[in-house]
Amino acid sequence: MTLYEELKARGLVAQITDDEIIDVINNGKATFYIGFDCTADSLTAGHFMALTLMKRLQMAGNKPIALIGGGTTMIGDPSGRTDMRKMLTKEDIAHNAACFKKQMEKFIDFSDGKALMLNNADWLLNLNYVELLRDVGACFSVNNMLRAKCYEQRMEKGLSFLEFNYMIMQSYDFYYMFQHYGCNMQFGGDDQWSNMLGGTELIRRKLGKDAYAMTITLLTDSQGKKMGKTAGNAVWLDPNKTSPFEFYQYWRNVGDSDVMKCIRMLTFLPLEQIDEMSTWKDQRLNEAKEILAFELTKMVHGEEEATKAQNAARALFSGASGDAEHMPNTQLTEADLTDGSIGILTLMVKAGLAASNGEARRLVVQGGVLVDGEKVAECTACQLKVAKNKQTVNLCGQFMDDSKATSGSGTGSLTLYKVDSGFIRRQQGLQDGEDVRGTVISKLRDPDSYGAERVALYDVSFDDLTLADWQAAAVGSVTAPFTFSDYEYLDQIEVQ
């Protein structure tokens, strides 16, 4: 099997500019580059596809160029973005670039000229703007650029002229390295296709020569979402940002429908072995997930750390404690506790298991949270309705019967706090006189441990407000009995 055939069999090839690419990479004739904008001080699991592809191509005799985007990071890639990226200082970018190189060396052999690491700041930051416009600007059609997919989402909210130049900068990178380093091919994610075509076209128009581009399939889950994040946070390759155990657990917990795709695309296991594993079902899928997690953790953190992470995970979920020292832990202080206890949602956020109370709550509702092997029950709830043009509205409740509130069903009592409607307007940025009428859904648990976990008005959540905030804003309260259930909204209270 040739290299290109293997890439196709692993599902890595998305688009190519020319069939000549096949012969070039199969015969080790490619000097290729992949760009990495250094927007953080660590690479993430989202970079895995690019790093493993570079390793595969280098193993076949091709020469990689890892291009650090010290210059393009000054602009920010708008591809797939709905907002403008944060602008970093030159010092931040230089620090991030140094961190990237250290991590890349685990995948790519830079010894004896087998690979290069370049920084486009070396040529982009010294460009003269007028000369660039005259030399390169005439090669780009604004009409074609505006149709490019990489600008699509940003156009909806407004694309700055700064970001609009990103395609020209990336194209110039390819043009420059083609001339000075013999770089004849660019690889990148499929969302980079327009930018990559800009580079091949610039080389053709300016130099009259052919260059090639190939995009690789984006790593997405079965719902089409990009993989590489957990609880809303990136999965980092830096062990100080994501521990080897957490890294292992991320891949150990991929969905049943995603595990074989990840093994095929990311690991270096033989295709014959992967094809055999593809027939596994039920419990054997858990074995496949362990293999995936171990192989990727070994690649990033080394075999010793991968073994520790695997042993710790097995001990944790079997109830054993032999490898507890390798499990992540969170230190709680007296300040984190209320009357000697802490709510499960607060604890999950504190431990980094969820990015917010809302995210933690969704995990609870979906049955994904266990404490000492016992599944945490779904949050109980009641519905409240708010009348129009009332000076005070009932927006926050508190269970008064702790035992009933946590038992799953029964009869308890609920205190509703009357809150001045101006408080809601201020929280939501509404003007005086604007209607605050709407349905408010308040998801509550035991007040001593959980407080008012969520209040939503017109589908706008108040996750940042605690029970104490509502109590402080209250101008009165009323307590009423009601019946509740974990799974039904049984009680509705109309505010008149």
Side-chain angles (χ1 to χ4, degrees):
M1 180 180 289
T2 66
L3 172 61
Y4 185 78
E5 289 171 340
E6 180 175 353
L7 297 180
K8 290 283 287 185
R10 291 183 179 273
L12 294 172
V13 180
Q15 301 181 76
I16 61 174
T17 54
D18 197 299
D19 284 341
E20 290 183 27
I21 287 176
I22 300 172
D23 177 67
V24 171
I25 65 172
N26 283 343
N27 292 289
K29 299 176 182 177
T31 297
F32 68 95
Y33 94 91
I34 296 180
F36 300 84
D37 275 355
C38 32
T39 53
D41 58 1
S42 172
L43 296 166
T44 72
H47 293 106
F48 236 121
M49 293 283 286
L51 294 170
T52 55
L53 178 68
M54 295 178 84
K55 184 177 178 72
R56 293 182 204 281
L57 290 164
Q58 186 180 48
M59 290 169 63
N62 299 286
K63 183 176 181 177
I65 297 176
L67 180 64
I68 300 298
T72 41
T73 304
M74 299 288 287
I75 297 175
D77 183 5
S79 300
R81 302 282 296 190
T82 57
D83 58 348
M84 185 171 170
R85 293 182 186 271
K86 177 184 176 182
M87 295 184 70
L88 303 177
T89 66
K90 291 182 180 179
E91 292 75 20
D92 288 337
I93 293 170
H95 170 73
N96 294 347
C99 295
F100 276 24
K101 182 175 182 181
K102 184 177 179 181
Q103 293 174 351
M104 286 179 179
E105 287 173 342
K106 296 180 180 180
F107 294 84
I108 305 165
D109 181 5
F110 289 98
S111 66
D112 303 323
K114 296 175 184 175
L116 296 175
M117 178 169 286
L118 304 176
N119 188 332
N120 62 17
D122 293 342
W123 54 84
L124 290 181
L125 298 187
N126 295 322
L127 287 173
N128 178 284
Y129 186 61
V130 174
E131 290 179 3
L132 178 69
L133 288 179
R134 291 174 59 85
D135 187 39
V136 174
C139 298
F140 288 85
S141 162
V142 171
N143 291 345
N144 289 338
M145 291 174 71
L146 289 174
R147 286 194 292 267
K149 190 172 181 62
C150 61
Y151 293 140
E152 194 173 83
Q153 287 182 280
R154 291 293 291 119
M155 287 289 287
E156 295 175 4
K157 292 192 175 182
L159 177 71
S160 72
F161 183 70
L162 176 72
E163 297 166 288
F164 187 62
N165 280 269
Y166 191 90
M167 180 186 292
I168 298 175
M169 297 295 97
Q170 183 171 331
S171 300
Y172 189 87
D173 284 341
F174 199 0
Y175 171 63
Y176 183 91
M177 289 186 291
F178 185 93
Q179 296 178 87
H180 295 86
Y181 296 96
C183 179
N184 58 359
M185 189 175 297
Q186 180 182 181
F187 289 84
D190 204 31
D191 55 351
Q192 293 291 315
W193 182 243
S194 299
N195 292 339
M196 294 163 71
L197 291 181
T200 59
E201 181 65 9
L202 180 61
I203 291 168
R204 186 189 65 80
R205 296 187 64 167
K206 294 293 296 181
L207 304 176
K209 296 182 179 180
D210 292 326
Y212 312 104
M214 184 182 105
T215 59
I216 54 179
T217 309
L218 296 176
L219 185 62
T220 59
D221 62 19
S222 54
Q223 280 76 47
K225 298 178 181 178
K226 281 187 179 182
M227 299 183 69
K229 290 189 175 182
T230 180
N233 300 312
V235 178
W236 304 98
L237 305 194
D238 183 344
N240 295 316
K241 296 169 76 75
T242 299
S243 71
F245 177 85
E246 293 167 327
F247 187 86
Y248 177 95
Q249 280 299 102
Y250 173 78
W251 298 106
R252 173 61 181 81
N253 291 327
V254 299
D256 290 354
S257 56
D258 299 319
V259 59
M260 292 314 305
K261 176 175 70 173
C262 290
I263 287 177
R264 191 175 294 275
M265 298 176 82
L266 299 177
T267 75
F268 287 80
L269 297 177
L271 284 170
E272 295 79 11
Q273 179 182 349
I274 297 173
D275 289 339
E276 192 276 325
M277 291 171 63
S278 297
T279 65
W280 293 1
K281 297 180 180 179
D282 302 324
Q283 288 300 316
R284 294 217 71 186
L285 286 176
N286 288 326
E287 183 182 344
K289 293 176 185 181
E290 283 197 340
I291 292 172
L292 169 67
F294 184 84
E295 289 296 321
L296 298 189
T297 306
K298 180 175 70 172
M299 203 182 305
V300 175
H301 299 294
E303 187 166 1
E304 181 180 354
E305 289 298 328
T307 300
K308 289 179 182 178
Q310 186 174 71
N311 291 340
R314 288 175 175 174
L316 178 64
F317 293 103
S318 67
S321 58
D323 282 299
E325 63 179 300
H326 301 304
M327 300 176 192
N329 60 78
T330 299
Q331 297 293 326
L332 298 179
T333 66
E334 192 68 30
D336 297 316
L337 307 179
T338 301
D339 295 332
S341 63
I342 186 171
I344 186 65
L345 304 189
T346 303
L347 181 60
M348 289 172 66
V349 174
K350 179 76 175 176
L353 300 175
S356 66
N357 278 2
E359 175 69 22
R361 184 182 306 104
R362 283 188 289 275
L363 291 172
V364 170
V365 171
Q366 294 165 5
V369 179
L370 288 81
V371 176
D372 288 336
E374 295 293 327
K375 184 178 292 187
V376 177
E378 181 181 353
C379 299
T380 56
C382 70
Q383 282 191 322
L384 310 177
K385 292 186 177 180
V386 180
K388 183 178 180 180
N389 296 330
K390 293 295 182 181
Q391 192 171 26
T392 61
V393 291
N394 293 328
L395 283 173
C396 180
Q398 175 182 0
F399 285 116
M400 303 303 292
D401 186 332
D402 294 356
S403 62
K404 296 294 185 184
T406 57
S407 65
S409 63
T411 299
S413 59
L414 179 72
T415 296
L416 301 175
Y417 291 94
K418 291 182 178 295
V419 182
D420 190 293
S421 57
F423 175 71
I424 302 304
R425 290 193 177 95
R426 289 192 296 274
Q427 290 296 328
Q428 292 303 308
L430 301 176
Q431 299 298 315
D432 287 344
E434 284 191 70
D435 189 7
V436 297
R437 180 180 57 186
T439 298
V440 180
I441 300 175
S442 178
K443 291 197 171 184
L444 308 171
R445 294 297 295 268
D446 169 14
D448 290 335
S449 300
Y450 298 90
E453 295 298 349
R454 175 171 179 162
V455 178
L457 176 65
Y458 290 129
D459 297 324
V460 178
S461 65
F462 291 82
D463 281 340
D464 292 337
L465 297 178
T466 66
L467 182 59
D469 294 325
W470 292 106
Q471 290 172 326
V475 294
S477 64
V478 60
T479 300
F482 76 105
T483 300
F484 60 91
S485 165
D486 277 345
Y487 303 105
E488 296 176 336
Y489 298 118
L490 295 182
D491 201 61
Q492 293 188 359
I493 302 174
E494 186 80 24
V495 178
Q496 301 296 337

